[in-house]
């Protein structure tokens, strides 16, 4: 943490400088950089684990942090200009939300939007994309056991029939029913958490993934059948036009898009799950600095480095062999904490060429709309504990086992199943009435084509240059910090963040207060008796993901 008193005195002196000299002085006073929080790394100044430092400052947020399955990577934004490089703010990326209507419509991940683009310009590139995407999706499903059992014949893959589709649907239903009775949680957990070798073929042959494979093949082969009936047998403009004129073929194209989206949403885009500044930088609009740096090449490259050799759990379990998808991070998404204007993300626009990027493009938090205010976060832990026995008594087997690959948002599905089972209106009770603003941050000019698999080479708006981060920080100094230091109330708030005893600093985690001490210092056996302290938790009033900005 940085002492606010000394910083406030320095900022006061800088504020007296003419505009032409102020920028350089501010850059010397606050020099930010991004530090990836690697799992086993320690801080060179304190010897503390970087994960512990990140978690410490996360505890100053008003909202609790809940770990979610999937990919995640944490960052510290630190100040090179001060002793021990104090923390300016923290950030985190996590696997993107799979379904978000406003975002998906804006990207072009909805069937009507995609076919509209194809009808406007039915080129051979679109025809090749459709043919290639469908072929790759089918090839990504292990079929050796299905061929051996007679559930599928090779000729039926190239020329699907309604009979084979019905056969695969029936198999999927039966395997899902068996999975609910015998979920094999231990094996699935091992596959999703083990960093070493995993027997992906064994994983593919579990009841869960036999069900998923049969369902995927049924859907994809039905799409191929419909396209062939519509006259699309090879990638040409004429045959694409025929397919676009047939309603059944349009539904097939929608299937290909949905499956293609699933392959890209967890790899080529991520969500900013934590983003904000800590005192005293929060009063200096440090949250905007953290927001800008989360879109920097340093963050993009660290994500690519972390996951370029990682096997995709779902794809590998479907293929029966390790599937490593090259990460091409081209889009970030995030939401506000509340349903009103997010001051931290408001007016964040930076010309890309200000940091040596593409002329005519800008780094921007694009506001897309609002979430539906629909979910399960308002259901308490006690309610969730009561749901499990209800579902066990009313259903044969457990439809929701919180297994990675079983389905998105297990808590939501579990709540809905329980509400339906006892006759309560699930759609009404799942409306929590707290919508959030949805934002997107494009990192590449061709992000839409990358996210549907039409292009494999991103055109990033910033070059892979370590100096870009310094340029982004310099832009923040000129755009926001230089004006902020002119406000006396801001300087006073910064000065209040004292590290002199008694310490009064907003980046300190407020510990629970001891309300009453019960029992002796030592019990009858001479052991310490501190355990019988009654504590009342107190939540810090520090800002959440949007800081105080």
């Amino acid at each position: 943490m940085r002492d606010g008193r000394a910083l406030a005195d320095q900022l006061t002196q800088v504020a007296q400088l003419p505009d032409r000299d102020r920028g350089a002085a501010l850059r010397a006073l606050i020099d930010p950089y991004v530090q990836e929080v690697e799992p086993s790394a320690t801080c060179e100044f304190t010897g503390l684990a970087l994960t512990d430092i990140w978690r410490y400052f996360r505890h100053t947020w008003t909202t609790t942090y809940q770990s979610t399955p999937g990919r995640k990577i944490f960052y510290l934004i630190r100040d090179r200009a001060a002793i021990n490089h104090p923390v300016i703010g923290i950030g985190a990326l996590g696997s993107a939300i799979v379904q978000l209507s406003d975002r998906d419509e804006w990207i072009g991940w909805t069937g009507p939007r995609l076919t509209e683009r194809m009808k406007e310009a039915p080129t051979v590139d679109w025809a090749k994309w459709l043919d290639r995407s469908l072929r790759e999706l089918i090839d990504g499903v292990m079929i050796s056991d299905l061929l051996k059992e007679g559930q599928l014949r090779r000729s039926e893959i190239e020329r699907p029939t309604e009979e084979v589709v019905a056969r695969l649907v029936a198999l999927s239903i039966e395997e899902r029913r068996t999975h609910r009775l015998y979920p094999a949680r231990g094996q699935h957990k091992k596959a999703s958490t083990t960093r070493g070798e995993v027997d992906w073929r064994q994983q593919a042959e579990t009841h869960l993934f036999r069900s998923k494979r049969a369902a995927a093949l049924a859907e994809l082969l039905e799409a191929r059948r419909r396209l062939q009936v519509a006259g699309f047998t090879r990638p040409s403009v004429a045959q694409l036009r025929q397919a676009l004129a047939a309603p059944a073929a349009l539904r097939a194209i929608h299937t290909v898009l949905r499956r293609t989206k699933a392959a890209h949403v967890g790899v080529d885009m991520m969500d900013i799950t934590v983003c904000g500044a800590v005192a005293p930088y929060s009063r200096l609009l440090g949250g905007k600095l953290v927001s800008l740096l989360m879109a920097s090449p340093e963050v993009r490259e660290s994500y690519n480095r972390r996951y370029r050799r990682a096997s995709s759990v779902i794809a590998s379990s479907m293929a029966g062999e390790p599937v490593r998808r090259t990460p091409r991070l081209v889009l970030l998404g995030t939401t506000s904490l509340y349903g009103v204007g997010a001051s931290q993300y408001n007016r964040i626009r930076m010309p890309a060429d200000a940091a040596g990027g593409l002329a005519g493009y800008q780094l921007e938090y694009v506001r897309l709309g609002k979430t539906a205010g629909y979910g399960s976060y308002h259901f308490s832990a006690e309610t969730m504990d009561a749901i499990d026995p209800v579902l066990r008594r009313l259903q044969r087997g457990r439809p929701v086992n919180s297994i990675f690959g079983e389905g998105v948002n297990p808590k939501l599905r579990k709540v809905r199943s329980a509400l339906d089972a006892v006759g309560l209106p699930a759609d009404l009770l799942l409306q929590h009435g707290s919508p959030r603003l949805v934002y997107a941050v494009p990192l590449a000019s061709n992000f839409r084509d990358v996210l549907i698999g039409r292009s494999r080479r991103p055109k990033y708006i910033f070059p892979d240059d370590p100096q870009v981060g310094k340029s982004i920080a310099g832009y923040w100094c000129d755009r926001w910090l230089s004006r902020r230091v002119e406000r006396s109330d801001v300087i006073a708030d910064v000065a209040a963040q004292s590290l002199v005893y008694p310490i009064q600093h907003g980046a300190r985690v407020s510990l629970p207060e001891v309300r009453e001490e019960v029992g002796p210092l030592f019990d009858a056996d001479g052991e310490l008796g501190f355990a019988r302290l009654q504590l009342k938790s107190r939540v810090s009033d520090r800002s959440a993901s949007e800081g105080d900005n």
Side-chain angles (χ1 to χ4, degrees), residues 88 276-288 484 494 497 506 542-543 546-549:
I88 296 174
V278 300
Y281 301 94
S282 52
R283 288 296 288 146
L284 299 171
L285 297 183
K288 292 187 181 293
R484 199 74 172 171
V494 171
Q497 311 300 320
R542 295 298 144 229
S543 76
E546 295 175 4
D548 291 325
N549 304 322

Side-chain angles (χ1 to χ4, degrees), residues 434-447:
S434 298
R436 297 184 176 190
L437 301 179
V438 179
Y439 294 87
V441 188
L443 305 182
S445 61
N446 62 337
F447 70 92

Side-chain angles (χ1 to χ4, degrees), residues 11 13-28 477-478 481-486:
L11 290 173
Q13 296 175 20
V14 171
Q16 309 304 316
L17 297 175
D19 289 346
R20 65 177 181 274
D21 300 326
R22 186 181 298 178
L26 288 174
R27 287 173 175 78
C477 282
D478 296 337
L481 182 59
S482 62
R483 301 277 75 86
R484 199 74 172 171
V485 299
E486 296 175 351

Side-chain angles (χ1 to χ4, degrees), residues 514 516-524 527-534:
V514 178
E516 182 181 357
E517 186 174 334
V518 182
L521 179 62
F522 297 94
D523 60 20
E527 298 293 331
L528 288 174
F530 291 123
R532 294 198 298 262
L533 294 179
Q534 297 179 353

Side-chain angles (χ1 to χ4, degrees), residues 10 15-16 85 112 135 151 172 296-297 300 317 322 356-357 423 432 467 519 546:
Q10 294 169 309
Q16 309 304 316
H85 294 195
R135 182 172 8 95
Q151 300 284 356
S172 176
S296 66
R300 186 185 77 223
S317 300
H432 53 66
Q467 294 302 311
E546 295 175 4

Side-chain angles (χ1 to χ4, degrees), residues 145-163:
D145 56 334
L146 304 181
L147 292 171
K148 184 177 180 180
E149 296 166 6
Q151 300 284 356
L152 180 68
R153 293 187 293 272
R154 289 197 179 275
S155 60
E156 294 174 320
I157 297 175
E158 294 302 322
R159 289 289 175 180
T161 63
E162 293 181 351
E163 289 74 19

Side-chain angles (χ1 to χ4, degrees), residues 17 35 104 134 201 213 241 246 248 257 316 383:
L17 297 175
Q35 183 177 31
D104 293 351
L134 183 54
R201 184 179 183 85
R213 286 189 290 124
R241 284 199 178 99
L257 172 63
S316 300
T383 300

Side-chain angles (χ1 to χ4, degrees), residues 1-3 31-33 45 57 76-89 278-281 499:
M1 291 179 284
R2 187 166 182 175
D3 183 69
D31 186 9
Y33 68 95
F45 303 103
F57 286 110
L76 296 171
I77 310 302
R78 305 187 71 162
D79 188 354
R80 191 183 287 106
I83 186 171
N84 295 331
H85 294 195
V87 173
I88 296 174
V278 300
Y281 301 94
L499 291 175

